[in-house]
Amino acid sequence: FAAARAGGLRITVHAGEWGGAYQVRRSLALDPERIAHGPGAIDDPELCAELIERGVSLDLCPTSNWQAGIVPSVAEHPLARLARAGVAVTLSTDDTTVSDIALSEEYVNAVATIGLTIPELWAIDRRALDVAFADEDDVAPLRASFTAWGETVPELAAR
């Protein structure tokens, strides 16, 4: 996937559903801003460091990855470990017609099953606004609204 934006092309590569860290590393040759999937990156600390250094986000889909056999269970999905290691991640549903899960259900799984905290989930969502394929004029009011909302949530306001 690619989207045109002032200043150049923004690229998301669909990689790492199979082939683990090796496939994620291969996709870096395309200089993507985002990699759809890529949970296997957790198995390669040097790859994680490169993702961090290059500012590449992984768009992770825990339920889809479990359904595809990439991870043994939703509980074992590396979403929390990647986020805590400093890798930029977003939380997604993949194709809801195939995975049959809404994003709100994936949020519940992220906290109740994977073990993210509410502040960690909020930070992941905040990051998604930064990497959205949308013009800054469109994203800025969303970011401001999201930040204002976060200030009303006790777990987030204390940060």
Side-chain angles (χ1 to χ4, degrees):
F1 308 106
R5 182 174 190 166
L9 194 62
R10 300 177 74 187
I11 298 173
T12 294
V13 176
H14 197 110
E17 280 187 289
W18 293 275
Y22 171 76
Q23 193 68 13
V24 175
R25 182 174 297 288
R26 284 187 62 214
S27 72
L28 291 176
L30 298 172
D31 198 26
E33 181 175 322
R34 294 165 34 186
I35 296 173
H37 299 290
I42 195 67
D43 297 328
D44 184 341
E46 290 178 15
L47 173 59
C48 288
E50 186 171 354
L51 292 168
I52 294 165
E53 180 182 321
R54 292 172 66 163
V56 176
S57 293
L58 299 178
D59 297 336
L60 298 173
C61 308
T63 298
S64 172
N65 293 160
W66 164 67
Q67 290 169 333
I70 300 161
V71 296
S73 69
V74 172
E76 295 176 74
H77 194 281
L79 170 68
R81 290 181 290 146
L82 285 160
R84 290 173 186 151
V87 177
V89 298
T90 64
L91 179 59
S92 302
T93 60
D94 204 1
D95 185 341
T96 56
T97 61
V98 174
S99 295
D100 192 30
I101 188 165
L103 187 56
S104 58
E105 294 170 290
E106 202 71 275
Y107 284 7
V108 170
N109 283 341
V111 174
T113 305
I114 296 172
L116 282 175
T117 66
I118 296 298
E120 287 171 327
L121 182 57
W122 187 85
I124 287 169
D125 278 352
R126 176 64 182 71
R127 170 70 182 165
L129 290 169
D130 292 337
V131 298
F133 285 159
D135 292 327
E136 182 59 27
D137 289 345
D138 295 325
V139 174
L142 294 172
R143 188 180 296 115
S145 178
F146 192 71
T147 299
W149 175 83
E151 291 170 354
T152 68
V153 177
E155 297 97 335
L156 303 176
R159 292 181 73 193

PDB file of all heavy atoms in Angstrom, residues 138-158:
ATOM      1  N   ASP A 138      -6.037  17.519   8.595  1.00  0.00           N
ATOM      2  CA  ASP A 138      -7.127  16.636   9.014  1.00  0.00           C
ATOM      3  C   ASP A 138      -6.819  15.964  10.348  1.00  0.00           C
ATOM      4  O   ASP A 138      -7.710  15.727  11.158  1.00  0.00           O
ATOM      5  CB  ASP A 138      -7.385  15.564   7.958  1.00  0.00           C
ATOM      6  CG  ASP A 138      -7.895  16.150   6.642  1.00  0.00           C
ATOM      7  OD1 ASP A 138      -8.645  17.148   6.698  1.00  0.00           O
ATOM      8  OD2 ASP A 138      -7.544  15.615   5.581  1.00  0.00           O
ATOM      9  N   VAL A 139      -5.561  15.632  10.570  1.00  0.00           N
ATOM     10  CA  VAL A 139      -5.173  14.896  11.777  1.00  0.00           C
ATOM     11  C   VAL A 139      -5.069  15.813  12.994  1.00  0.00           C
ATOM     12  O   VAL A 139      -5.411  15.405  14.110  1.00  0.00           O
ATOM     13  CB  VAL A 139      -3.841  14.139  11.552  1.00  0.00           C
ATOM     14  CG1 VAL A 139      -3.350  13.487  12.837  1.00  0.00           C
ATOM     15  CG2 VAL A 139      -4.021  13.087  10.470  1.00  0.00           C
ATOM     16  N   ALA A 140      -4.635  17.038  12.819  1.00  0.00           N
ATOM     17  CA  ALA A 140      -4.411  17.947  13.950  1.00  0.00           C
ATOM     18  C   ALA A 140      -5.628  18.093  14.861  1.00  0.00           C
ATOM     19  O   ALA A 140      -5.499  17.979  16.086  1.00  0.00           O
ATOM     20  CB  ALA A 140      -3.922  19.306  13.465  1.00  0.00           C
ATOM     21  N   PRO A 141      -6.839  18.331  14.329  1.00  0.00           N
ATOM     22  CA  PRO A 141      -7.985  18.437  15.233  1.00  0.00           C
ATOM     23  C   PRO A 141      -8.315  17.121  15.927  1.00  0.00           C
ATOM     24  O   PRO A 141      -8.755  17.117  17.077  1.00  0.00           O
ATOM     25  CB  PRO A 141      -9.141  18.898  14.338  1.00  0.00           C
ATOM     26  CG  PRO A 141      -8.669  18.853  12.945  1.00  0.00           C
ATOM     27  CD  PRO A 141      -7.184  18.674  12.956  1.00  0.00           C
ATOM     28  N   LEU A 142      -8.098  16.006  15.241  1.00  0.00           N
ATOM     29  CA  LEU A 142      -8.315  14.706  15.881  1.00  0.00           C
ATOM     30  C   LEU A 142      -7.338  14.507  17.034  1.00  0.00           C
ATOM     31  O   LEU A 142      -7.706  14.033  18.112  1.00  0.00           O
ATOM     32  CB  LEU A 142      -8.149  13.578  14.863  1.00  0.00           C
ATOM     33  CG  LEU A 142      -9.158  13.511  13.737  1.00  0.00           C
ATOM     34  CD1 LEU A 142      -8.741  12.475  12.713  1.00  0.00           C
ATOM     35  CD2 LEU A 142     -10.542  13.205  14.284  1.00  0.00           C
ATOM     36  N   ARG A 143      -6.076  14.854  16.793  1.00  0.00           N
ATOM     37  CA  ARG A 143      -5.047  14.730  17.822  1.00  0.00           C
ATOM     38  C   ARG A 143      -5.396  15.602  19.028  1.00  0.00           C
ATOM     39  O   ARG A 143      -5.293  15.166  20.180  1.00  0.00           O
ATOM     40  CB  ARG A 143      -3.684  15.109  17.245  1.00  0.00           C
ATOM     41  CG  ARG A 143      -2.525  14.825  18.181  1.00  0.00           C
ATOM     42  CD  ARG A 143      -1.182  15.206  17.584  1.00  0.00           C
ATOM     43  NE  ARG A 143      -0.870  14.415  16.400  1.00  0.00           N
ATOM     44  CZ  ARG A 143      -0.751  14.917  15.171  1.00  0.00           C
ATOM     45  NH1 ARG A 143      -0.928  16.209  14.947  1.00  0.00           N
ATOM     46  NH2 ARG A 143      -0.456  14.128  14.158  1.00  0.00           N
ATOM     47  N   ALA A 144      -5.818  16.838  18.778  1.00  0.00           N
ATOM     48  CA  ALA A 144      -6.174  17.752  19.863  1.00  0.00           C
ATOM     49  C   ALA A 144      -7.365  17.215  20.655  1.00  0.00           C
ATOM     50  O   ALA A 144      -7.368  17.250  21.891  1.00  0.00           O
ATOM     51  CB  ALA A 144      -6.482  19.143  19.302  1.00  0.00           C
ATOM     52  N   SER A 145      -8.359  16.704  19.957  1.00  0.00           N
ATOM     53  CA  SER A 145      -9.537  16.138  20.620  1.00  0.00           C
ATOM     54  C   SER A 145      -9.166  14.907  21.435  1.00  0.00           C
ATOM     55  O   SER A 145      -9.626  14.727  22.572  1.00  0.00           O
ATOM     56  CB  SER A 145     -10.591  15.795  19.570  1.00  0.00           C
ATOM     57  OG  SER A 145     -11.713  15.209  20.161  1.00  0.00           O
ATOM     58  N   PHE A 146      -8.345  14.056  20.872  1.00  0.00           N
ATOM     59  CA  PHE A 146      -7.910  12.838  21.553  1.00  0.00           C
ATOM     60  C   PHE A 146      -7.114  13.186  22.812  1.00  0.00           C
ATOM     61  O   PHE A 146      -7.312  12.592  23.874  1.00  0.00           O
ATOM     62  CB  PHE A 146      -7.079  11.994  20.590  1.00  0.00           C
ATOM     63  CG  PHE A 146      -6.817  10.599  21.058  1.00  0.00           C
ATOM     64  CD1 PHE A 146      -7.838   9.664  21.087  1.00  0.00           C
ATOM     65  CD2 PHE A 146      -5.550  10.218  21.449  1.00  0.00           C
ATOM     66  CE1 PHE A 146      -7.593   8.365  21.511  1.00  0.00           C
ATOM     67  CE2 PHE A 146      -5.305   8.923  21.875  1.00  0.00           C
ATOM     68  CZ  PHE A 146      -6.325   7.992  21.903  1.00  0.00           C
ATOM     69  N   THR A 147      -6.222  14.160  22.701  1.00  0.00           N
ATOM     70  CA  THR A 147      -5.430  14.599  23.847  1.00  0.00           C
ATOM     71  C   THR A 147      -6.324  15.193  24.922  1.00  0.00           C
ATOM     72  O   THR A 147      -6.171  14.875  26.112  1.00  0.00           O
ATOM     73  CB  THR A 147      -4.353  15.615  23.398  1.00  0.00           C
ATOM     74  OG1 THR A 147      -3.499  14.972  22.456  1.00  0.00           O
ATOM     75  CG2 THR A 147      -3.530  16.103  24.571  1.00  0.00           C
ATOM     76  N   ALA A 148      -7.282  16.025  24.531  1.00  0.00           N
ATOM     77  CA  ALA A 148      -8.210  16.622  25.501  1.00  0.00           C
ATOM     78  C   ALA A 148      -9.029  15.549  26.197  1.00  0.00           C
ATOM     79  O   ALA A 148      -9.236  15.604  27.415  1.00  0.00           O
ATOM     80  CB  ALA A 148      -9.118  17.627  24.800  1.00  0.00           C
ATOM     81  N   TRP A 149      -9.484  14.558  25.440  1.00  0.00           N
ATOM     82  CA  TRP A 149     -10.234  13.456  26.039  1.00  0.00           C
ATOM     83  C   TRP A 149      -9.365  12.713  27.054  1.00  0.00           C
ATOM     84  O   TRP A 149      -9.808  12.389  28.154  1.00  0.00           O
ATOM     85  CB  TRP A 149     -10.743  12.498  24.956  1.00  0.00           C
ATOM     86  CG  TRP A 149     -11.412  11.292  25.521  1.00  0.00           C
ATOM     87  CD1 TRP A 149     -12.703  11.187  25.933  1.00  0.00           C
ATOM     88  CD2 TRP A 149     -10.799  10.019  25.772  1.00  0.00           C
ATOM     89  NE1 TRP A 149     -12.942   9.921  26.406  1.00  0.00           N
ATOM     90  CE2 TRP A 149     -11.783   9.191  26.323  1.00  0.00           C
ATOM     91  CE3 TRP A 149      -9.514   9.510  25.571  1.00  0.00           C
ATOM     92  CZ2 TRP A 149     -11.532   7.877  26.688  1.00  0.00           C
ATOM     93  CZ3 TRP A 149      -9.265   8.203  25.937  1.00  0.00           C
ATOM     94  CH2 TRP A 149     -10.255   7.400  26.488  1.00  0.00           C
ATOM     95  N   GLY A 150      -8.115  12.443  26.683  1.00  0.00           N
ATOM     96  CA  GLY A 150      -7.199  11.732  27.570  1.00  0.00           C
ATOM     97  C   GLY A 150      -6.986  12.447  28.890  1.00  0.00           C
ATOM     98  O   GLY A 150      -6.782  11.813  29.932  1.00  0.00           O
ATOM     99  N   GLU A 151      -7.048  13.752  28.864  1.00  0.00           N
ATOM    100  CA  GLU A 151      -6.868  14.527  30.095  1.00  0.00           C
ATOM    101  C   GLU A 151      -8.028  14.352  31.070  1.00  0.00           C
ATOM    102  O   GLU A 151      -7.909  14.680  32.242  1.00  0.00           O
ATOM    103  CB  GLU A 151      -6.656  15.997  29.749  1.00  0.00           C
ATOM    104  CG  GLU A 151      -5.328  16.242  29.061  1.00  0.00           C
ATOM    105  CD  GLU A 151      -5.161  17.635  28.482  1.00  0.00           C
ATOM    106  OE1 GLU A 151      -6.142  18.425  28.498  1.00  0.00           O
ATOM    107  OE2 GLU A 151      -4.061  17.940  28.001  1.00  0.00           O
ATOM    108  N   THR A 152      -9.138  13.802  30.603  1.00  0.00           N
ATOM    109  CA  THR A 152     -10.298  13.574  31.486  1.00  0.00           C
ATOM    110  C   THR A 152     -10.298  12.166  32.075  1.00  0.00           C
ATOM    111  O   THR A 152     -11.124  11.857  32.925  1.00  0.00           O
ATOM    112  CB  THR A 152     -11.630  13.773  30.729  1.00  0.00           C
ATOM    113  OG1 THR A 152     -11.792  12.723  29.766  1.00  0.00           O
ATOM    114  CG2 THR A 152     -11.673  15.135  30.048  1.00  0.00           C
ATOM    115  N   VAL A 153      -9.388  11.306  31.629  1.00  0.00           N
ATOM    116  CA  VAL A 153      -9.319   9.931  32.117  1.00  0.00           C
ATOM    117  C   VAL A 153      -8.262   9.869  33.215  1.00  0.00           C
ATOM    118  O   VAL A 153      -7.083  10.149  32.953  1.00  0.00           O
ATOM    119  CB  VAL A 153      -8.977   8.960  30.958  1.00  0.00           C
ATOM    120  CG1 VAL A 153      -8.820   7.534  31.466  1.00  0.00           C
ATOM    121  CG2 VAL A 153     -10.008   9.058  29.858  1.00  0.00           C
ATOM    122  N   PRO A 154      -8.674   9.526  34.444  1.00  0.00           N
ATOM    123  CA  PRO A 154      -7.728   9.566  35.569  1.00  0.00           C
ATOM    124  C   PRO A 154      -6.421   8.803  35.328  1.00  0.00           C
ATOM    125  O   PRO A 154      -5.355   9.300  35.657  1.00  0.00           O
ATOM    126  CB  PRO A 154      -8.523   8.948  36.724  1.00  0.00           C
ATOM    127  CG  PRO A 154      -9.944   9.226  36.374  1.00  0.00           C
ATOM    128  CD  PRO A 154     -10.019   9.161  34.869  1.00  0.00           C
ATOM    129  N   GLU A 155      -6.498   7.610  34.730  1.00  0.00           N
ATOM    130  CA  GLU A 155      -5.276   6.823  34.478  1.00  0.00           C
ATOM    131  C   GLU A 155      -4.324   7.523  33.519  1.00  0.00           C
ATOM    132  O   GLU A 155      -3.130   7.266  33.541  1.00  0.00           O
ATOM    133  CB  GLU A 155      -5.601   5.434  33.912  1.00  0.00           C
ATOM    134  CG  GLU A 155      -6.389   4.555  34.818  1.00  0.00           C
ATOM    135  CD  GLU A 155      -7.891   4.596  34.512  1.00  0.00           C
ATOM    136  OE1 GLU A 155      -8.382   5.597  33.965  1.00  0.00           O
ATOM    137  OE2 GLU A 155      -8.561   3.614  34.812  1.00  0.00           O
ATOM    138  N   LEU A 156      -4.865   8.367  32.667  1.00  0.00           N
ATOM    139  CA  LEU A 156      -4.037   9.064  31.678  1.00  0.00           C
ATOM    140  C   LEU A 156      -3.615  10.423  32.152  1.00  0.00           C
ATOM    141  O   LEU A 156      -2.507  10.872  31.866  1.00  0.00           O
ATOM    142  CB  LEU A 156      -4.796   9.191  30.350  1.00  0.00           C
ATOM    143  CG  LEU A 156      -5.264   7.877  29.731  1.00  0.00           C
ATOM    144  CD1 LEU A 156      -6.068   8.149  28.479  1.00  0.00           C
ATOM    145  CD2 LEU A 156      -4.103   6.952  29.459  1.00  0.00           C
ATOM    146  N   ALA A 157      -4.479  11.113  32.876  1.00  0.00           N
ATOM    147  CA  ALA A 157      -4.175  12.457  33.365  1.00  0.00           C
ATOM    148  C   ALA A 157      -3.017  12.439  34.361  1.00  0.00           C
ATOM    149  O   ALA A 157      -2.267  13.409  34.457  1.00  0.00           O
ATOM    150  CB  ALA A 157      -5.413  13.085  34.004  1.00  0.00           C
ATOM    151  N   ALA A 158      -2.853  11.335  35.062  1.00  0.00           N
ATOM    152  CA  ALA A 158      -1.789  11.228  36.069  1.00  0.00           C
ATOM    153  C   ALA A 158      -0.410  11.089  35.431  1.00  0.00           C
ATOM    154  O   ALA A 158       0.596  11.199  36.103  1.00  0.00           O
ATOM    155  CB  ALA A 158      -2.059  10.026  36.971  1.00  0.00           C
TER     156      ALA A 158
END
